[in-house]
Amino acid sequence: MISVTNLVINRDQSIRQCLETLDQTGMSILLLIDENGSLLRTITDGDMRRLILAGASLDDDLFGLSDKAPVCISLNMVDDEVLALMDMHEINQLPQVNENNQPIGLHLRHMLRPRVQLSIPHMGEQELIYVKEAFDTNWIAPLGPNVDAFESEVAEYVGSKHAAAVSSGTAAIHLALRLLGVGPGDSVICSSFTFVASANPILYQGATPVFIDSEPATWNMSPVALEKAIISCVSKGRKPKAILPVHLYGQSADMDAIMEISEKFDIPVIEDAAESLGGLYKGRHTGTFGKFGIFSFNGNKIITTSGGGMLVSDDVELIEKARFLSTQARDPAPYYEHTEVGYNYRMSNVLAGIGRGQLKVLDDRVQARRDVFERYRNGLKEFECLEWMPEPSDDISNRWLTAVSIKPGYGVDVPSIIKALSDENIEARHLWKPMHRQPLFSGCVYFPHSVELSLSDYLFETGMCLPSGSNMSVSQQQRVIDELSKLLNKGRHG
Ligand SMILES: *Cc1c(COP(=O)(O)O)cnc(C)c1O
């Protein structure tokens, strides 16, 4: 914002003075105020030109100007709102006024910094074509050709035999648990380092989660802690009904080790691949190792349908049952007959159209997010305190969000960095707060990676995610890197 002291002018002043002020300040706009200092209108070169062409002389005052209430910025508007207002009125400068309508500053477009967000939707070119098709054929109702096509396209993309499109990733997890017969009193093993949506459906079924820590190699479910947990549950006569590992921030968990334990104890796996669509474990897509895999198309994910999810499995009967349960479990009868509890979980044909378009650009989005990660790592490589989320050499993470931890003892802590970035209009966030530390799950058992190390606790306390959208510009990312460098240097030098 620039100061208005040299830009205010009142009606007593002459056209000449007005033109001279414009000349001296090098600005293309002045602010006309009344005797109370309240803003009447803005004045431009063009306004002066029109007065003169209408017969005014250079020494005439400004009473010839009509009142023209200007578009103004109110006191508490943030840069993004100001930019939106400028876009709406197609102008590059706007005065800001206080509660008495007195100008307190002038905002210029090039000085504004839009918020750099963590992860926002990034549409391709074909989404609208599929959505339009749905409109043109009036397939607005749930189900329809886009849903069928989206299911088979996702199944083919990830290399799973079958898929059911549903209203959210959470719904997909819920259906998977239901299909495995998880019910009241059962135990389900779940990653602790995750978003609450992984574990909530366990509660929907009246079951109890048993939380497992992460391991250093992947920051995901520790196979060591997993085996310990199963042995402990079995010894108490409560063999877990399912294992729910999460592929956080796009990086796969160690699926060989987890599947080996799953087979050894004969407990099915549901992979929460909500964040890892497009990511590979040893060349194979995450979400295709367990009995079930789930994906999310929520607005912040790597591709989105604005809201949606997918349940995948090689078992056709289970997927068909999922479709049945997600459409109110209606029995095959000429009237509405029901013998089981069902849900309204199906994805709509309109949203599936968005998904089909998004799937076409998924590989580009993965590459873009991986590039974002590499630019951060490169741009900040001088800072030894940074520990980037690992990626085992056989895997390809989709790098949904760039996750980094700051080793303690370097004089910088994550909460103050997140706050300082936010003050610069940059959105960074804490890594997920582990489930075993959530009040919601206060009574649940937790198995750390080892006696010495609870990695999920460490990562929560020292880690953050940086803006990682695939549509973030290189210059926006440079802004983040520059701000972070400043903050980390401050820490380094006290
Ligand atoms: C987003 C997310 C979910 C839930 O997906 P929704 O589509 O938002 O219901 C589940 N698990 C993880 C790890 C997620 O990040």
Side-chain angles (χ1 to χ4, degrees):
M1 185 168 80
I2 60 173
S3 155
V4 290
T5 28
N6 298 322
L7 300 179
V8 290
I9 192 159
N10 55 52
R11 288 208 195 268
D12 296 330
Q13 288 177 276
S14 66
I15 294 178
R16 184 192 306 279
Q17 282 172 310
C18 193
L19 286 170
E20 275 169 5
T21 313
L22 279 169
D23 205 40
Q24 282 155 13
T25 55
M27 301 295 298
S28 53
I29 186 174
L30 295 179
L31 305 173
L32 184 68
I33 54 172
D34 66 14
E35 59 280 8
N36 303 318
S38 167
L39 182 63
L40 294 170
R41 60 170 290 164
T42 57
I43 304 177
T44 62
D45 280 328
D47 293 319
M48 295 300 98
R49 191 168 58 236
R50 278 183 288 275
L51 278 183
I52 290 166
L53 286 173
S57 79
L58 281 178
D59 295 316
D60 284 355
D61 59 31
L62 300 175
F63 281 88
L65 282 172
S66 61
D67 282 359
K68 198 172 87 186
V71 180
C72 285
I73 301 164
S74 51
L75 270 183
N76 43 20
M77 272 191 187
V78 298
D79 283 10
D80 287 297
E81 294 172 297
V82 175
L83 278 168
L85 206 59
M86 285 181 177
D87 289 343
M88 193 162 91
H89 296 278
E90 296 180 359
I91 37 184
N92 297 321
Q93 49 204 4
L94 279 176
Q96 184 163 33
V97 293
N98 63 18
E99 49 286 291
N100 299 319
N101 198 38
Q102 293 157 335
I104 55 167
L106 185 70
H107 285 266
L108 305 182
R109 184 186 284 275
H110 74 265
M111 293 173 79
L112 293 167
R113 287 166 315 163
R115 192 162 176 78
V116 185
Q117 287 172 302
L118 201 65
S119 177
I120 56 169
H122 185 181
M123 291 296 119
E125 288 173 357
Q126 299 199 44
E127 290 81 352
L128 271 180
I129 297 174
Y130 293 117
V131 170
K132 184 166 185 308
E133 218 167 85
F135 273 68
D136 290 346
T137 53
N138 208 28
W139 275 111
I140 305 299
L143 304 188
N146 277 336
V147 175
D148 299 342
F150 189 38
E151 287 178 345
S152 51
E153 286 161 7
V154 168
E156 191 190 325
Y157 178 88
V158 300
S160 187
K161 291 211 176 91
H162 305 280
V166 291
S167 52
S168 69
T170 313
I173 297 173
H174 188 197
L175 287 167
L177 292 169
R178 173 76 195 274
L179 290 163
L180 292 178
V182 172
D186 287 337
S187 297
V188 172
I189 295 203
C190 182
S191 296
S192 186
F193 188 41
T194 186
F195 174 50
V196 70
S198 306
N200 266 337
I202 300 170
L203 299 185
Y204 300 168
Q205 285 305 99
T208 307
V210 172
F211 291 115
I212 308 295
D213 193 14
S214 298
E215 52 145 6
T218 63
W219 290 12
N220 283 307
M221 186 178 273
S222 157
V224 181
L226 170 64
E227 183 149 13
K228 259 187 250 163
I230 296 176
I231 291 169
S232 161
C233 290
V234 169
S235 75
K236 293 187 184 111
R238 285 187 51 168
K239 184 176 150 183
K241 272 286 186 63
I243 303 168
L244 215 161
V246 183
H247 307 301
L248 222 55
Y249 303 122
Q251 167 59 47
S252 176
D254 182 355
M255 287 318 292
D256 280 351
I258 290 171
M259 290 314 295
E260 196 182 310
I261 295 167
S262 150
E263 278 149 30
K264 177 168 163 192
F265 293 93
D266 191 25
I267 305 171
V269 166
I270 302 167
E271 291 175 75
D272 181 346
E275 301 179 1
S276 65
L277 182 59
L280 304 175
Y281 174 79
K282 297 189 178 172
R284 186 168 148 190
H285 278 273
T286 57
T288 63
F289 293 83
K291 188 94 195 148
F292 291 103
I294 76 96
F295 299 103
S296 166
F297 309 111
N298 192 37
N300 58 357
K301 297 284 154 61
I302 192 154
I303 62 170
T304 179
T305 59
S306 81
M310 192 72 78
L311 179 68
V312 300
S313 174
D314 284 342
D315 188 325
V316 67
E317 275 170 42
L318 288 174
I319 291 297
E320 270 166 10
K321 185 81 191 276
R323 293 194 187 110
F324 166 79
L325 291 174
S326 64
T327 48
Q328 308 287 17
R330 186 178 164 193
D331 294 337
Y335 30 76
Y336 284 83
E337 186 160 278
H338 306 271
T339 45
E340 284 186 79
V341 177
Y343 315 95
N344 183 3
Y345 276 172
R346 209 64 167 115
M347 179 181 280
S348 98
N349 193 55
V350 178
L351 300 192
I354 303 178
R356 292 183 72 192
Q358 284 273 277
L359 198 58
K360 298 239 184 320
V361 292
L362 174 55
D363 288 338
D364 296 342
R365 300 298 183 257
V366 172
Q367 192 53 53
R369 297 221 183 210
R370 290 181 61 82
D371 292 346
V372 165
F373 180 90
E374 281 310 322
R375 277 197 294 270
Y376 278 129
R377 189 156 60 178
N378 243 320
L380 295 162
K381 62 171 177 270
E382 65 178 287
F383 298 102
E384 285 158 22
C385 59
L386 298 178
E387 255 176 304
W388 302 94
M389 184 168 188
E391 181 189 51
S393 58
D394 288 341
D395 300 347
I396 296 182
S397 168
N398 72 11
R399 296 291 190 194
W400 172 54
L401 295 182
T402 290
V404 63
S405 138
I406 304 178
K407 289 181 209 156
Y410 281 82
V412 270
D413 67 296
V414 162
S416 57
I417 289 215
I418 291 176
K419 169 75 176 57
L421 288 175
S422 175
D423 291 344
E424 294 300 327
N425 233 357
I426 293 167
E427 183 185 20
R429 287 208 194 151
H430 287 277
L431 298 185
W432 299 123
K433 180 173 181 180
M435 292 304 112
H436 71 273
R437 288 173 68 163
Q438 301 288 351
L440 175 63
F441 297 114
S442 60
C444 296
V445 191
Y446 166 67
F447 288 84
H449 180 64
S450 69
V451 186
E452 301 82 38
L453 177 66
S454 175
L455 185 62
S456 60
D457 282 304
Y458 172 82
L459 291 172
F460 171 60
E461 279 150 26
T462 62
M464 64 181 167
C465 329
L466 300 175
S468 309
S470 48
N471 44 3
M472 181 171 56
S473 69
V474 173
S475 67
Q476 273 181 316
Q477 191 178 357
Q478 195 56 46
R479 231 180 88 199
V480 182
I481 292 171
D482 293 344
E483 286 305 329
L484 257 175
S485 301
K486 256 193 259 168
L487 295 165
L488 293 170
N489 268 321
K490 231 188 263 170
R492 195 151 62 171
H493 307 302

